[in-house]
Amino acid sequence: MPRFEIDLNPLEHITVDAIGQPGNRVFYIQGWRETDPQAVTIIIEKVQLQSLSLGAEQILAELIKQKPDLTLPLVEVDPEKMRISPPVDPLFRAGEIGLGYDADRDLVVIMAREVVLDGGDPEEAAEVRFWCTRLQIQRLSEWSKDVINRGRPLCPQCGQPMEPEGHFCPKKNGHKH
Ligand SMILES: [Zn+2]
């Protein structure tokens, strides 16, 4: 039995982001349901994010091939809305990320399974499933590319971008760090 499983369905919002210095960034996937008091956040590897973004594009491309009447709107990605929301309090580090499409519900599911450490029982690995609409997955895929390519790190305290010369953190009463 997994130590816990969470299905975010319906999903109010989903995003990915990176925190830390360039070259040493930690990547996160974060989503929440309308009723959730706090977002569900999971640590992922950059390479997992890259394959997630690519996989989402492939699923959408495949859908258009299968349903020629289906059109994908041009999505506007608002960085303000896509930035990770503090507190960044990850439930686990993902060992596996999977993608699937549920034709009945017309939802793309992102499955994140907890990494199994040496001596750990794979059966107990926690699992979180983010059930995304086509629009959500389209936006996520676009935004993922920005995050992967972005050099400017985010402050782990307040989630705002940090300038190379330093950052006046509102969470630290404006002290530079
Ligand atoms: Zn800050």
Side-chain angles (χ1 to χ4, degrees):
M1 281 280 284
R3 51 182 196 97
F4 64 84
E5 287 177 279
I6 302 175
D7 273 285
L8 293 124
N9 185 21
L11 185 60
E12 177 72 12
H13 184 61
I14 183 161
T15 194
V16 293
D17 216 338
I19 294 178
Q21 297 299 327
N24 204 13
R25 296 188 294 166
V26 179
F27 292 81
Y28 300 91
I29 184 165
Q30 184 182 62
W32 61 87
R33 293 166 288 207
E34 204 176 9
T35 49
D36 285 342
Q38 200 179 313
V40 171
T41 308
I42 290 163
I43 299 176
I44 58 174
E45 301 296 329
K46 186 179 181 181
V47 61
Q48 288 174 326
L49 179 58
Q50 284 165 330
S51 59
L52 179 66
S53 176
L54 199 67
E57 275 184 355
Q58 286 167 347
I59 284 181
L60 291 169
E62 190 59 34
L63 278 178
I64 290 180
K65 229 189 282 172
Q66 286 171 9
K67 305 179 188 176
D69 53 327
L70 183 142
T71 52
L72 293 177
L74 277 173
V75 289
E76 293 266 337
V77 180
D78 180 353
E80 289 302 320
K81 289 199 179 117
M82 297 307 279
R83 215 153 265 153
I84 199 164
S85 296
V88 178
D89 191 11
L91 291 179
F92 58 76
R93 179 181 288 272
E96 274 174 61
I97 296 276
L99 261 178
Y101 177 67
D102 183 329
D104 291 340
R105 288 187 278 184
D106 190 20
L107 292 174
V108 177
V109 61
I110 300 170
M111 290 158 290
R113 185 179 264 253
E114 187 176 21
V115 71
V116 182
L117 302 172
D118 282 347
D121 183 354
E123 300 273 301
E124 286 176 12
E127 192 169 316
V128 172
R129 292 176 287 267
F130 301 92
W131 295 86
C132 311
T133 63
R134 273 184 274 114
L135 188 62
Q136 283 172 330
I137 202 78
Q138 215 185 328
R139 201 182 277 140
L140 188 72
S141 176
E142 282 301 311
W143 172 246
S144 296
K145 287 181 237 165
D146 289 0
V147 171
I148 291 163
N149 297 328
R150 187 182 59 201
R152 202 162 57 149
L154 295 181
C155 170
Q157 263 80 36
C158 69
Q160 296 298 310
M162 295 192 288
E163 303 305 323
E165 60 271 25
H167 162 74
F168 291 95
C169 187
K171 286 282 164 76
K172 291 206 159 182
N173 300 318
H175 290 305
K176 210 170 183 179
H177 66 81

